[in-house]
């Protein structure tokens, strides 16, 4: 028997803003809310489906240091350059975590500065 990742919980200053951003990035919809938290996930599956849902929890604590865990995303319906343009238009911004410039991925930050990577491989949609 094994476990599956069902949710990724992210402490943040603005759950509404991050939920909106990540919903656009991933094509997710709001699947629940309570006590200031907002959960988003795939429209056709929601919690318990093949992809983990994201839950944004309000927190007033400032982030300190580099994240120990980050999200990697891959485009499903366009090439990496077109997806990079889309993510930047949604509010992502380039982030420097010490890359050399020869990587085949892009390091970005969401509107609250949480780093994530746009990888080069185009994946099939689920």
């Amino acid at each position: 028997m094994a476990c599956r990742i069902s949710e990724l919980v992210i402490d943040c200053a603005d759950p509404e803003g991050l939920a909106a951003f990540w919903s656009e990035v991933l094509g997710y919809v709001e699947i629940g809310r309570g006590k200031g938290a907002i959960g988003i996930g795939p429209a056709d599956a929601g919690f318990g489906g093949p992809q983990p849902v994201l839950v944004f929890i309000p927190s007033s604590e400032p982030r300190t240091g580099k994240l120990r865990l980050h999200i990697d995303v891959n485009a499903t319906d366009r090439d990496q350059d077109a997806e990079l343009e889309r993510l930047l238009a949604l509010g992502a911004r380039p982030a420097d975590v010490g890359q050399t410039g020869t990587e085949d991925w892009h390091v970005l930050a969401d509107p609250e500065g949480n780093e994530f990577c746009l990888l080069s491989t185009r994946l099939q949609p689920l």
Side-chain angles (χ1 to χ4, degrees), residues 24-118:
E24 288 293 325
V25 169
L26 300 170
Y28 278 15
V29 298
E30 184 178 312
I31 60 171
R33 61 173 61 222
K35 297 184 182 177
I38 301 173
I40 64 170
D44 58 341
F47 180 81
Q51 297 173 278
V53 301
L54 301 180
V55 179
F56 301 96
I57 304 285
S59 174
S60 60
E61 294 179 29
R63 183 181 134 198
T64 58
K66 183 177 180 278
L67 294 175
R68 296 188 77 156
L69 176 72
H70 70 266
I71 296 172
D72 288 345
V73 298
N74 296 73
T76 59
D77 63 349
R78 64 199 74 186
D79 68 22
Q80 184 187 39
D81 290 338
E83 184 63 1
L84 177 61
E85 286 181 33
R86 186 181 82 89
L87 296 175
L88 293 171
L90 290 174
R93 59 186 186 279
D96 182 0
V97 295
Q99 45 293 31
T100 65
T102 61
E103 296 82 6
D104 64 351
W105 65 86
H106 296 277
V107 181
L108 303 169
D110 71 14
E112 288 202 10
N114 301 306
E115 295 92 3
F116 69 99
C117 294
L118 171 61

